């Protein structure tokens, strides 16, 4: 009897897993608009590379999806992760933020990378390029601080 119940339970789990694959969240894939950070601010190629490797998948409208992102329930976890990231900071709508919002976000970018709370460990575990070196963190912070000062002086 126990074997039969176990077998039925496993079959049910497999059926549920297969059914989940038909219900995928929408993809976060859009072409950059004129509001995107790279189109509204001077960002060196080096800083763009750092942002693309460590930030843009969760903080823009253009995620680079890997093979495992297509498997439920991972796809739903990633979708929620991206939605939360974009709620906190979305480089795709950078031009729409106020000057004070931008300055605050630039400060957060520097602070969170220095404290190594961003990028998240769960992200860097699968995305080795996102593991920022001390030099990359310094480069990113120098850019963020310089850009924030530029915004402060802007009329």
């Amino acid at each position: 009897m126990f074997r039969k119940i176990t077998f039925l339970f496993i079959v049910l789990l497999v059926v549920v897993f297969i059914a989940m694959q038909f219900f995928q969240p929408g993809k976060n894939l859009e072409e950059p608009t004129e509001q995107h950070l790279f189109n509204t601010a001077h960002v060196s190629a080096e800083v763009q590379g750092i942002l693309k490797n460590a930030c843009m998948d969760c903080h823009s409208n253009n995620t680079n999806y890997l093979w495992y992102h297509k498997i439920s329930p991972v796809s739903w976890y990633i979708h929620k992760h991206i939605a939360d990231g974009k709620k906190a900071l979305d480089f795709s709508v950078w031009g729409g933020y106020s000057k004070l919002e931008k300055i605050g976000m630039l400060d957060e970018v520097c602070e969170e990378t220095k404290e190594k709370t961003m990028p998240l460990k769960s992200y860097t575990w699968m995305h080795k390029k996102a593991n920022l070196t001390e030099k990359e963190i310094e480069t990113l912070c120098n850019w963020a601080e310089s850009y924030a000062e530029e915004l402060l002086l802007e009329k």
Side-chain angles (χ1 to χ4, degrees), residues 32-40 92 95:
T33 66
E34 66 276 351
Q35 294 293 317
H36 193 282
L37 171 68
F38 297 162
N39 295 328
T40 59
S92 293

Side-chain angles (χ1 to χ4, degrees), residues 7-137:
F7 176 75
L8 288 173
F9 181 72
I10 291 171
V11 167
L12 179 64
L13 281 177
V14 169
V15 168
V16 167
F17 179 77
I18 290 170
M20 287 173 63
Q21 304 317 305
F22 293 100
F23 301 95
Q24 295 287 327
K27 298 291 186 213
N28 185 45
L29 293 170
E30 293 178 17
E31 289 299 315
T33 66
E34 66 276 351
Q35 294 293 317
H36 193 282
L37 171 68
F38 297 162
N39 295 328
T40 59
H42 173 71
V43 184
S44 70
E46 183 179 17
V47 172
Q48 281 189 29
I50 294 167
L51 291 171
K52 284 177 184 176
N53 288 334
C55 309
M56 291 296 181
D57 278 348
C58 295
H59 295 285
S60 79
N61 288 338
N62 198 348
T63 300
N64 180 30
Y65 289 97
L66 301 177
W67 66 269
Y68 60 87
H69 292 145
K70 297 177 179 89
I71 301 170
S72 288
V74 174
S75 59
W76 289 99
Y77 172 75
I78 299 298
H79 180 74
K80 169 114 175 59
H81 197 70
I82 292 167
D84 291 345
K86 285 172 52 176
K87 197 181 305 176
L89 167 63
D90 188 348
F91 288 118
S92 293
V93 295
W94 186 259
Y97 290 131
S98 73
K99 191 184 300 189
L100 287 176
E101 286 174 317
K102 290 176 184 176
I103 292 168
M105 289 178 194
L106 290 165
D107 184 54
E108 284 289 315
V109 165
C110 184
E111 184 179 320
E112 293 201 20
T113 55
K114 276 184 177 177
E115 293 175 358
K116 302 201 186 237
T117 54
M118 280 290 160
L120 297 174
K121 298 281 184 252
S122 59
Y123 182 79
T124 58
W125 185 65
M126 293 296 288
H127 301 83
K128 298 303 179 195
K129 285 184 180 179
N131 280 309
L132 298 176
T133 65
E134 290 303 318
K135 182 184 181 310
E136 289 172 321
I137 292 169

